Amino acid sequence: MREIEISRAIVEAYSNDILDNLQLDVAVVGAGPSGMVAGYYLAKGGAKVAIFEKKLSIGGGIWGGAMGFNRVIVQESAREILDEFGVGYRSAGNGLYVLDAVELASTLASKAVKAGVRIFNMIEVEDLVVKDDRVSGLVINWTPVMMTGLHVDPLTVEAKFVVDSTGHGAQISQHLLKRGLIKSIPGEGPMWAEKGEELTVEHTKEVFPGLYATGMAANALAGAPRMGPIFGGMLLSGRKAALEILQKLGK
């Protein structure tokens, strides 16, 4: 076993993966709950999909649970998604279920990858490709390059649809605001768990031709409330976006 053999195997495998995913049906940005659920259902439906995550870790805000107590809540309306993914839970009463945050994050990631989703972490989206008034892909760079402000030109990924699953900041949609292609992003409203859960699903939609928003990004674009450590709306949001996109792709 030589060190060069280890290095060669890693470089070849990763290079082949990135080359194979430069042209996608759907590019999801953000490997949080809604992004991974969207990726899972898209891949199961026959779409070629990859998720791009700027952090080293995936799972978004799941890991910390609530204030470091690594448990989260899911409501009855999303329980069927937990059952499909095989995530354990127990009743907390009143139609609420308590989950181990670590199990939820790791299971969503595992199921998405096994369904055919390729997750690229440590890659940040620095801009969008927009052609003929439609989002057509991503402009990507390494996260450390972006963090250090080095002048290094990016690469691009072509996609028929892009999904903004970047959470509270709606970072992908911010690129459209910066370019004057959308008028405003009001940001999420104050805490109201019940309404926030309802509206994150309602506002999951195509927000600009070729661009969908899910989860808290959808609420930020609509000015809807935040909801704290309850994740059912995130799961339902990801599934809703995936099923709509699959229909538009003719899958």
Side-chain angles (χ1 to χ4, degrees), residues 89-168:
Y89 53 84
R90 63 175 177 81
S91 175
N94 296 319
L96 300 177
Y97 300 90
V98 62
L99 290 67
D100 184 308
V102 174
E103 181 186 0
L104 178 62
S106 58
T107 303
L108 292 181
S110 176
K111 291 287 189 178
V113 170
K114 289 182 184 299
V117 179
R118 183 65 176 91
I119 299 178
F120 295 96
N121 58 333
M122 290 180 57
I123 291 182
E124 186 165 352
V125 176
E126 68 169 58
D127 208 347
L128 290 167
V129 179
V130 180
K131 297 181 179 180
D132 299 322
D133 295 319
R134 181 181 178 84
V135 172
S136 303
L138 308 176
V139 182
I140 60 171
N141 217 323
W142 298 116
T143 299
V145 168
M146 300 294 292
M147 290 176 66
T148 53
L150 295 174
H151 185 75
V152 178
D153 279 330
L155 295 172
T156 56
V157 174
E158 183 179 295
K160 296 173 185 175
F161 286 92
V162 170
V163 180
D164 183 349
S165 298
T166 58
H168 303 274

